[in-house]
């Protein structure tokens, strides 16, 4: 099968060997696996981080978002059958989705939204799971609840932010404030439903006062948490909650004590990595997201379509992700 992999980690993305086209053996499904023929993928920051920092003793395939058709099922599979169209974000402990065929545990797979083509559906799985778990599981906001509360989303124009803005606006009663520093990303966040947009390159507390929000009850910090940390503590009201998804080198949490603030980490790979008893919740939430898409409540977050799934196009996509200037999601389709 065709696949895109790396054999030497840490190469700059401009290097032709940073990602290369390869031919690899087609895998065989385990008991709970689906063998999926991949039709579309999207690119996430985790793809670039693994490529840059994960040693490869053999060809390593990255990529975790995928849309495709089930071709074979394992002996214990009960949720899907051959021919089903699916979307999912895979497991970081297994080979990635930049390949013609891909294995994935059925418990983290959803039925593809019927109203979207493969490319537009590929933008959704990883970011939808991350945003859903962050909002409802980690921050503990009840669906339909949050009246009188406010959510500040730092880096709201990226992949996770683009879904989180919609979930918070459509499924809660919270006031949603997104941050963006460029005119095109500010407009994007407004279109997705944020009540307010402020600039994370300027003092946050002042801007929150200017829009009449003051201190917020919840913060979702999606990028550069270490750079904004002191401001986020200042922006939170006493007993507020801060959730993050990025990788600050260090984080001194002591300043949070005075306000009795709580800190929550979100990693959407945790359930599949540890095969937690509630792993099937990702199957359930992806099906729910697909329904919300088909009902017109949520919309896909494709920012750019980079064409065919090959090494050259994926190197180009990784370069955009590494620049920090992506708007929404970059998708690729077909081999």
């Amino acid at each position: 099968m065709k696949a895109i992999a790396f054999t030497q980690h840490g190469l700059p993305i401009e290097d032709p060997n940073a990602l290369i086209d390869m031919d690899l053996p087609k895998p065989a499904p385990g008991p709970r696996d689906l063998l999926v023929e991949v039709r579309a993928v999207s690119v996430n920051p985790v793809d670039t981080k693994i490529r840059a920092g994960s040693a490869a003793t053999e060809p390593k395939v990255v990529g975790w978002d995928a849309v495709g058709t089930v071709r074979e099922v394992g002996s214990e599979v009960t949720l899907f059958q051959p021919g089903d169209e699916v979307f999912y974000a895979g497991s970081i402990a297994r080979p990635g989705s930049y390949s013609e065929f891909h294995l994935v545990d059925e418990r983290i797979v959803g039925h593809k939204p019927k109203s979207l083509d493969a490319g537009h559906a590929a933008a959704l799985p990883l970011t939808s799971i991350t945003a859903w778990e962050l909002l409802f599981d980690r921050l503990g906001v009840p669906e339909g609840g949050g009246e009188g509360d406010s959510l500040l989303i730092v880096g709201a124009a990226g992949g996770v932010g683009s879904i989180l803005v919609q979930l918070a606006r459509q499924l809660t009663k919270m006031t949603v404030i997104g941050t963006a520093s460029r005119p095109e990303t500010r407009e994007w966040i407004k279109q997705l439903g944020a009540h307010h947009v402020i600039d994370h390159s300027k003092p946050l507390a002042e801007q929150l006062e200017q829009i009449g929000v003051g201190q917020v009850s919840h913060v979702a910090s999606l990028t550069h948490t270490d750079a904004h940390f002191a401001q986020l503590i200042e922006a939170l009201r006493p007993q507020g909650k801060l959730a993050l998804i990025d990788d600050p080198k260090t984080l001194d949490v002591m300043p949070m004590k005075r306000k009795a603030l709580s800190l929550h980490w979100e990693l959407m790979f945790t359930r599949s990595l540890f095969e937690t008893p509630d792993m099937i919740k990702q199957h359930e939430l992806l099906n729910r997201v697909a329904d919300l898409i088909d009902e017109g409540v949520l919309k896909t977050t494709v920012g750019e379509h980079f064409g065919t799934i090959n090494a050259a196009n994926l190197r180009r996509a990784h370069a955009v992700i590494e620049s920090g200037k992506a708007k929404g999601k970059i998708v690729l389709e077909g081999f």
Side-chain angles (χ1 to χ4, degrees):
M1 66 175 184
K2 292 180 182 177
I4 295 86
F6 68 91
T7 55
Q8 183 181 348
H9 77 283
L11 294 175
I13 197 57
E14 298 79 19
D15 190 314
N17 293 314
L19 288 169
I20 54 180
D21 293 301
M22 304 192 76
D23 189 58
L24 295 176
K26 180 179 170 182
R32 299 211 66 172
D33 286 342
L34 310 176
L35 178 68
V36 177
E37 183 175 3
V38 175
R39 292 168 54 203
V41 300
S42 76
V43 181
N44 293 283
V46 65
D47 303 10
T48 69
K49 291 174 185 175
I50 297 293
R51 191 203 83 245
S54 180
T57 54
E58 56 187 31
K60 192 173 183 70
V61 181
V62 294
W64 281 276
D65 272 329
V67 171
T69 305
V70 176
R71 293 304 180 202
E72 297 177 28
V73 298
S75 59
E76 297 176 17
V77 167
T78 61
L79 302 173
F80 298 92
Q81 57 190 10
D84 286 347
E85 293 191 316
V86 295
F87 75 146
Y88 58 89
S91 165
I92 203 166
R94 305 183 71 172
S97 60
Y98 297 173
S99 58
E100 280 187 286
F101 293 92
H102 188 235
L103 293 180
V104 61
D105 190 297
E106 65 168 345
R107 290 169 289 179
I108 57 173
V109 177
H111 291 278
K112 182 184 81 68
K114 295 180 179 67
S115 58
L116 296 182
D117 62 26
H120 284 84
L124 293 166
L126 187 146
T127 53
S128 295
I129 296 169
T130 301
W132 190 287
E133 291 183 350
L134 185 152
L135 183 61
F136 298 121
D137 296 343
R138 311 296 168 237
L139 290 176
V141 178
E143 248 190 273
E147 192 165 7
D149 288 340
S150 46
L151 174 66
L152 173 63
I153 304 171
V154 180
V160 174
S162 295
I163 285 289
L164 184 55
V165 167
Q166 296 183 70
L167 289 177
R169 181 62 191 267
Q170 297 294 338
L171 300 185
T172 80
K173 296 177 181 175
M174 305 177 90
T175 298
V176 182
I177 307 111
T179 80
S181 58
R182 292 178 287 140
E184 61 269 31
T185 49
R186 292 171 66 86
E187 183 58 34
W188 172 260
I189 295 169
K190 287 178 185 174
Q191 289 174 7
L192 294 173
H195 293 96
H196 307 281
V197 182
I198 63 176
D199 187 342
H200 49 245
S201 68
K202 299 174 182 175
L204 299 176
E206 289 178 21
Q207 296 176 83
L208 290 170
E209 288 293 341
Q210 289 168 4
I211 62 175
V213 172
Q215 292 185 321
V216 298
S217 59
H218 298 74
V219 169
S221 182
L222 308 181
T223 184
H224 296 103
T225 296
D226 42 3
H228 301 297
F229 193 54
Q231 289 194 72
L232 300 181
I233 292 172
E234 181 186 7
L236 276 161
R237 68 192 189 198
Q239 303 180 90
K241 297 182 177 184
L242 168 62
L244 60 152
I245 66 170
D246 60 339
D247 303 293
K249 290 181 180 177
T250 59
L251 208 60
D252 178 9
V253 299
M254 284 306 297
M256 300 180 73
K257 181 178 179 180
R258 187 164 174 266
K259 286 186 174 180
L261 304 175
S262 59
L263 182 68
H264 307 263
W265 285 98
E266 163 55 20
L267 179 67
M268 58 78 54
F269 291 119
T270 295
R271 281 173 162 149
S272 57
L273 192 58
F274 294 96
E275 296 199 12
T276 59
D278 66 350
M279 184 169 157
I280 200 167
K281 280 196 171 182
Q282 293 193 343
H283 162 72
E284 295 165 355
L285 78 82
L286 282 174
N287 282 344
R288 181 77 192 288
V289 167
D291 289 342
L292 291 167
I293 289 283
D294 290 339
E295 292 162 9
V297 176
L298 300 178
K299 60 183 179 180
T300 185
T301 55
V302 173
E304 293 183 88
H305 194 304
F306 269 34
T308 305
I309 304 168
N310 61 38
N313 286 339
L314 281 164
R315 287 196 299 269
R316 196 159 56 96
H318 278 227
V320 174
I321 296 291
E322 290 177 356
S323 76
K325 294 182 178 179
K327 181 187 76 173
K329 293 297 295 294
I330 297 171
V331 301
L332 301 93
E333 193 171 357
F335 283 89

